[in-house]
């Protein structure tokens, strides 16, 4: 499985970005200090990309400009009706100094699927890739080289038309910002404790669960707060039939006694690119992979009987995290810790950082 560009984008002329340099850009020593221990999502680079879209003009006014506040009309539709989508993707510094990203066409295509569901315009794959390259051209020095460090890229799109009627906006903005990142969880790669959300659901059939849209995350905040109150790091959601869906920001995978990897198949969850890549690496190792519904009782009974030997979560921001416990109002189950999650994590990150052969053609150079 080699990733290829969407065929339909071949004929597109590239966008002509107007670049305005940030005169207050951080000095190399200020930047080095910020890159020492960036944490997740708090430090931002000197520039951002934005492209406008309108019904009349299509995609226009592509810009690279200094990172800073966005001016919005208070009636902008996104502030009222949440018409917004985003992506999460990382840039990796390789030992030869090059800057690479991982399967960006997949993120471009998922942004297009999210756009369709949220009645937003589809950004062509070529424009998406170009926006990544344009930002790296000015902020490439922000891609850190420390162990497990990356530059987290956050493309997003929202309805900026000032109109209080409820209909798809006719004016939209696409932005790309970037944030140097270390580990997503404060504790690094420690097993996390997961809270089972029994009172709140994240998504429903026919809803927006498979789209990467802000509303899904807004809906996860209260159960996430409940998780923290109960000493847990993350929350896992069930669907209306009692099947496991996913975590607030990660997919979930189960390892069975015979090495088979099982992960929920559902139209209400995000089709994770990390998950798909791990399933491919598992198949390459000769392991069986099943995408099918997994009920809560299958999970609990499987752990109790030893049929499930490992449970882990994955996503771009958090990479792979073993699950050490599942807690709910009425029980707390310790989870078995195995070797597979960490060995897949090593294989995946070795590919991403250029330490291992990229057999599937997943890497995409951004700075050349
Ligand atoms: N599920 C949710 C709700 C997410 O926010 C994410 C993160 O992007 C994922 C799953 C994992 O997706 P990916 O591996 O593409 O980052
Ligand atoms: C990502 O992993 O890129 C995400 O968007 C998850 C988010 C909760 C940080």
């Amino acid at each position: 499985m080699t990733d290829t560009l969407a065929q339909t984008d071949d004929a597109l002329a590239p966008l002509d970005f107007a670049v305005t340099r940030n005169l207050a850009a951080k000095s190399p020593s200020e930047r080095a200090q910020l890159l020492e221990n960036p944490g997740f999502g708090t430090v931002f680079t000197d520039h951002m990309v934005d492209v406008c879209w309108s019904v009349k003009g299509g995609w226009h006014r592509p810009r690279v400009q200094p990172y800073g506040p966005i001016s919005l009309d208070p009636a902008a539709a996104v502030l009222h009706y949440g018409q917004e989508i985003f992506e999460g993707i990382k840039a990796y510094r390789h030992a030869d100094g090059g800057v690479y990203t991982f399967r960006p066409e997949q993120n471009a295509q998922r942004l297009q699927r999210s756009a369709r569901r949220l009645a937003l315009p589809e950004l062509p794959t070529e424009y998406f890739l170009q926006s990544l390259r344009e930002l790296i051209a000015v902020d490439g020095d922000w891609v850190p080289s420390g162990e497990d460090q990356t530059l987290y890229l956050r493309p997003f799109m929202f309805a900026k038309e000032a109109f209080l009627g409820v209909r798809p906006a006719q004016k939209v903005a696409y932005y790309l910002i970037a944030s140097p990142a270390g580990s997503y969880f404060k504790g690094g790669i420690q097993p996390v404790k997961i809270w089972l959300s029994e009172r709140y659901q994240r998504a429903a059939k026919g809803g927006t669960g498979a789209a990467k849209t802000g509303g899904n995350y807004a809906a996860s905040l209260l159960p996430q707060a409940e998780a923290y109150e109960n000493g847990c790091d993350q929350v896992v959601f069930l669907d209306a039939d009692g099947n496991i869906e996913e975590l607030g920001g990660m997919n979930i995978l189960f390892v069975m006694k015979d090495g088979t990897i099982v992960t929920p198949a559902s139209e209400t969850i995000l089709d994770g690119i990390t998950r798909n890549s791990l399933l491919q690496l598992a198949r390459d190792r000769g392991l069986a992979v099943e995408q099918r519904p997994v009920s809560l009782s299958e999970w609990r009974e499987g752990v109790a009987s030893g049929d499930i030997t490992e449970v882990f979560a994955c996503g771009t921001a958090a990479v792979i995290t073993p699950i050490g416990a599942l807690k709910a109002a009425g029980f707390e189950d310790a989870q078995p810790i195995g070797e597979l999650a960490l060995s897949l994590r090593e294989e995946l990150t070795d590919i991403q950082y250029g330490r291992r052969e990229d057999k599937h053609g997943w890497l995409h150079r951004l700075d050349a």
Side-chain angles (χ1 to χ4, degrees):
M1 184 175 51
T2 300
D3 294 336
T4 48
L5 297 184
Q7 305 300 317
T8 49
D9 293 353
D10 283 356
L12 268 184
L15 293 170
D16 187 14
F17 280 82
V19 180
T20 308
R21 287 274 175 171
N22 186 346
L23 299 176
K26 299 278 186 301
S27 69
S29 66
E30 285 173 316
R31 190 173 57 231
Q33 212 175 359
L34 289 167
L35 293 184
E36 247 168 52
N37 191 9
F40 182 85
T42 55
V43 176
F44 299 94
T45 64
D46 294 313
H47 297 87
M48 60 188 187
V49 163
D50 86 86
V51 187
C52 299
W53 179 90
S54 66
V55 168
K56 281 195 194 133
W59 294 105
H60 63 278
R61 213 171 66 162
R63 292 185 297 189
V64 176
Q65 50 173 328
Y67 182 92
I70 297 173
S71 165
L72 269 187
D73 192 293
V78 65
L79 300 176
H80 304 271
Y81 310 126
Q83 196 189 1
E84 186 268 356
I85 56 175
F86 67 98
E87 269 302 324
I89 179 168
K90 283 174 167 175
Y92 306 85
R93 173 83 63 198
H94 283 199
D96 65 2
V99 175
Y100 290 79
T101 191
F102 184 74
R103 311 188 73 181
E105 314 78 11
Q106 300 292 313
N107 295 86
Q109 289 164 17
R110 191 169 64 190
L111 190 70
Q112 290 156 7
R113 292 197 298 276
S114 299
R116 284 200 284 279
R117 181 62 186 84
L118 272 291
L120 282 163
E122 290 179 41
L123 184 74
T125 300
E126 237 339 296
Y127 291 177
F128 179 87
L129 298 177
Q130 210 192 338
S131 72
L132 305 183
R133 287 196 300 268
E134 290 286 339
L135 194 60
I136 293 301
V138 291
D139 280 344
D141 289 343
W142 283 92
V143 182
S145 51
E147 203 184 334
D148 286 334
Q149 289 189 331
T150 58
L151 184 65
Y152 182 76
L153 302 164
R154 172 52 65 88
F156 60 106
M157 192 193 293
F158 58 87
K160 71 172 175 190
E161 184 187 2
F163 178 56
L164 293 183
V166 182
R167 60 140 170 76
Q170 298 187 356
K171 285 186 184 157
V172 166
Y174 166 77
Y175 277 79
L176 169 65
I177 57 172
S179 174
S183 179
Y184 183 74
F185 291 111
K186 284 201 188 80
I189 324 170
Q190 296 298 323
V192 293
K193 201 187 246 197
I194 302 293
W195 175 250
L196 178 71
S197 179
E198 292 175 292
R199 183 148 31 139
Y200 305 108
Q201 288 188 356
R202 176 186 176 275
K205 276 186 188 153
T208 59
K212 208 158 166 58
T213 180
N216 292 339
Y217 298 80
S220 77
L221 298 178
L222 184 58
Q224 179 67 50
E226 204 177 72
Y228 291 144
E229 277 161 26
N230 285 281
C232 295
D233 310 275
Q234 271 276 329
V235 54
V236 63
F237 292 97
L238 295 173
D239 68 15
D241 301 321
N243 292 314
I244 307 298
E245 287 193 316
E246 60 180 332
L247 274 53
M250 279 179 274
N251 292 119
I252 188 165
L253 298 94
F254 302 87
V255 184
M256 313 306 280
K257 198 162 56 184
D258 66 358
T260 302
I261 299 186
V262 180
T263 186
S266 167
E267 65 192 72
T268 59
I269 66 176
L270 196 76
D271 190 14
I273 296 158
T274 315
R275 180 173 76 148
N276 288 340
S277 307
L278 292 176
L279 295 182
Q280 182 61 49
L281 295 180
R283 281 190 211 100
D284 294 349
R285 291 182 184 193
L287 297 174
V289 162
E290 290 175 13
Q291 278 182 269
R292 61 165 173 82
V294 179
S295 68
L296 177 62
S297 43
E298 179 180 358
W299 180 358
R300 295 197 64 201
E301 284 160 22
V303 167
S305 69
D307 282 346
I308 292 177
T309 54
E310 202 172 340
V311 188
F312 62 96
C314 70
T316 298
V319 196
I320 293 179
T321 307
I323 293 179
L326 172 67
K327 188 174 177 186
F331 64 85
E332 180 167 341
D333 294 347
Q335 302 295 306
I337 300 293
E339 306 281 311
L340 190 62
L342 291 185
S343 124
L344 284 173
R345 184 185 209 279
E346 188 174 296
E347 186 174 351
L348 180 71
T349 54
D350 276 355
I351 295 169
Q352 290 169 330
Y353 286 93
R355 297 186 293 249
R356 200 183 280 233
E357 192 194 345
D358 174 25
K359 288 189 190 132
H360 294 286
W362 284 341
L363 293 183
H364 181 103
R365 189 159 186 172
L366 289 177
D367 63 333

